[in-house]
Amino acid sequence: METTAAFAGLTCVDCDGRFDPEVATHRCPGCGGILDPTYEYDAIEVDHGTFDERPFESMWRYEELLPFPREAAVTMDEGATPLVDCPGMADELGVERVVIKDEGRNPTGSFKDRGQTVALTAAREHGASDVALASAGNAGQAAAAYAARAGVDAHVFLPARSNHTNKAMVNVHGGDMTVVGGRIDDAGAAYADAMAEEEWYSVGTFVTPYRHEGKKTMLYEIVEQLDWEVPDAVVYPTGGGVGLVGMHKGAKELRDLDLIDGLPAMYAAQASGCAPIVEAFEAGRGRHEPWETPDTICGGIEIPDPGASPLILEALRESGGGAVATDDEEILESAIAVSKGEGLEMGATPAAAASGAWTLAAEGAFDGDDTVVLLNTASANKDADVLRSHLMGKGI
Ligand SMILES: *Cc1c(COP(=O)(O)O)cnc(C)c1O
Ligand SMILES: [Zn+2]
């Protein structure tokens, strides 16, 4: 297995056991906990100049801080997405700057590509012939694309309500797709049944140790694009929390490497129809309770039982951030407000971050000199129909 020099193995977040990544491929062999890639940070010699000199064209430009070298990567030059200034929104929020990290400009139109490039690299290094996952949609599309690139078969379990683009493109990439009636948990149950029978390699959320590892590069890019200044707040549309946990890890790494001073406050934005993280945060708990009847138009964050909630809640508290829920009507209005006001096309699910930011601003969470980052996790092309029918519902 080809790994980077400083990659020192996988550490269990629950029992602290350290494992060889050749042997441990998914969850902790000892206790079943989440495994987290670990590095010898003393062996990583990078400074601002190291990165400033490199072209900004792929997340693999941070390869010293990733488990696998760029030459081994299953990649389509994902990442390196723009950070777009939104001055109108900054005025409305009463802050110095609002910038939107536009992850819609990834190969398959969502930030899920950052997780799947690393997960499929690991799968190929482990000699997998078949990868599998259950997904609300975007992760399934990304997995099918990166599996095609790696030359392995993808088995994707999607709920019936995932969007047309996701389903169509899994087929187009040659993936084996199972569409399950109901929601993400129903797709998850069908996936679990299949996994009990098959020898497939999981690329599922926090089952592989490598998806949050890929997504941490969003934070690296954001601070580099801000000339190594730490933003005051990062508002993230949160489902399973892979991106939020990854970005918080990325911030701690850069801080410990003396590349930045301090951590951005991480805010989890959810839809009020499925807000287990917000509920747990507000109740001061360290773990969520499963949401009974999830119901939101935001499919990508309709995750009623996010298994990594302790890591998400710890990131929110450790960074001095918070959690906010807004309803679907406000979220769709926010998607349209950003598209109309700034030109930037924002999908329905990521608009939970915009909507959450408006609410946080109204609650006084931000200061006048703050820089606030919103994550546009997927292209509006994925749910243009949802946005358009919202307008139709208003007679437009
Ligand atoms: C998957 C997804 C999310 C949530 O991602 P997590 O990191 O698992 O919380 C948010 N937005 C979109 C568009 C997604 O596809
Ligand atoms: Zn363990």
Side-chain angles (χ1 to χ4, degrees):
M1 188 172 189
E2 209 179 333
T3 56
T4 43
F7 181 39
L10 299 166
T11 304
C12 176
V13 302
D14 287 332
C15 73
D16 270 343
R18 179 73 77 86
F19 300 93
D20 179 348
E22 301 253 12
V23 182
T25 56
H26 291 88
R27 300 286 287 233
C28 173
C31 77
I34 291 168
L35 292 180
D36 186 35
T38 306
Y39 303 82
E40 291 300 340
Y41 291 103
D42 292 343
I44 300 177
E45 288 187 21
V46 292
D47 56 22
H48 294 163
T50 313
F51 299 115
D52 292 345
E53 280 164 22
R54 293 182 187 167
F56 195 79
E57 61 355 353
S58 153
M59 61 174 250
W60 289 93
R61 61 199 293 284
Y62 304 101
E63 71 174 342
E64 289 92 338
L65 292 155
L66 291 168
F68 309 109
R70 187 172 187 164
E71 65 193 25
V74 177
T75 176
M76 294 186 261
D77 286 351
E78 50 291 318
T81 56
L83 191 65
V84 181
D85 251 302
C86 295
M89 204 172 161
D91 281 349
E92 285 177 29
L93 295 189
V95 298
E96 176 81 21
R97 250 182 119 182
V98 171
V99 288
I100 296 187
K101 182 69 169 159
D102 192 7
E103 290 291 304
R105 298 197 231 178
N106 271 298
T108 76
S110 90
F111 76 131
K112 292 296 198 297
D113 293 341
R114 294 184 192 259
Q116 292 300 332
T117 179
V118 186
L120 261 295
T121 300
R124 192 166 68 181
E125 291 290 317
H126 287 134
S129 61
D130 294 74
V131 297
L133 79 169
S135 155
N138 287 330
Q141 183 182 342
Y146 285 83
R149 184 122 187 121
V152 306
D153 291 332
H155 306 275
V156 180
F157 293 78
L158 299 180
R161 53 176 17 226
S162 68
N163 70 47
H164 172 70
T165 306
N166 290 150
K167 291 178 196 153
M169 293 313 293
V170 171
N171 287 148
V172 171
H173 288 300
D176 162 36
M177 180 168 68
T178 304
V179 177
V180 184
R183 296 167 193 260
I184 180 77
D185 282 1
D186 302 299
Y191 156 84
D193 287 348
M195 290 298 273
E197 301 287 318
E198 307 284 351
E199 299 278 302
W200 294 337
Y201 183 104
S202 178
V203 290
T205 295
F206 285 121
V207 180
T208 163
Y210 299 108
R211 280 175 58 173
H212 67 287
E213 202 58 10
K215 288 185 179 180
K216 76 182 183 182
T217 57
M218 292 189 292
L219 191 282
Y220 297 166
E221 292 177 12
I222 289 166
V223 294
E224 192 177 345
Q225 287 168 304
L226 294 173
D227 293 325
W228 304 101
E229 288 291 326
V230 180
D232 299 284
V234 175
V235 189
Y236 181 76
T238 304
V242 184
L244 192 144
V245 169
M247 285 193 288
H248 183 62
K249 175 182 182 180
K252 287 196 287 182
E253 291 178 322
L254 296 189
R255 181 196 59 188
D256 294 348
L257 288 165
D258 283 331
L259 292 173
I260 57 174
D261 303 321
L263 304 173
M266 303 295 304
Y267 288 90
Q270 298 200 296
S272 43
C274 184
I277 297 296
V278 180
E279 187 187 64
F281 183 83
E282 287 176 351
R285 288 199 309 269
R287 172 181 286 278
H288 78 289
E289 276 166 21
W291 197 261
E292 288 291 330
T293 41
D295 188 21
T296 166
I297 196 92
C298 306
I301 56 172
E302 195 184 48
I303 308 292
D305 193 11
S309 66
L311 301 181
I312 303 170
L313 291 160
E314 186 181 287
L316 303 180
R317 294 189 177 116
E318 191 177 23
S319 68
V324 60
T326 52
D327 64 31
D328 282 7
E329 173 72 18
E330 296 169 278
I331 292 171
L332 291 169
E333 283 295 307
S334 300
I336 287 160
V338 174
S339 302
K340 239 177 126 175
E342 307 285 356
L344 188 137
E345 297 190 352
M346 179 169 260
T349 296
S355 178
W358 258 294
T359 298
L360 287 166
E363 291 170 359
F366 306 135
D367 290 332
D369 57 359
D370 277 0
T371 295
V372 176
V373 182
L374 310 181
L375 274 292
N376 189 30
T377 42
S379 159
N381 287 341
K382 303 244 192 188
D383 37 35
D385 53 345
V386 172
L387 300 180
R388 184 67 191 88
S389 40
H390 179 67
L391 293 181
M392 284 165 79
K394 304 200 302 173
I396 299 169

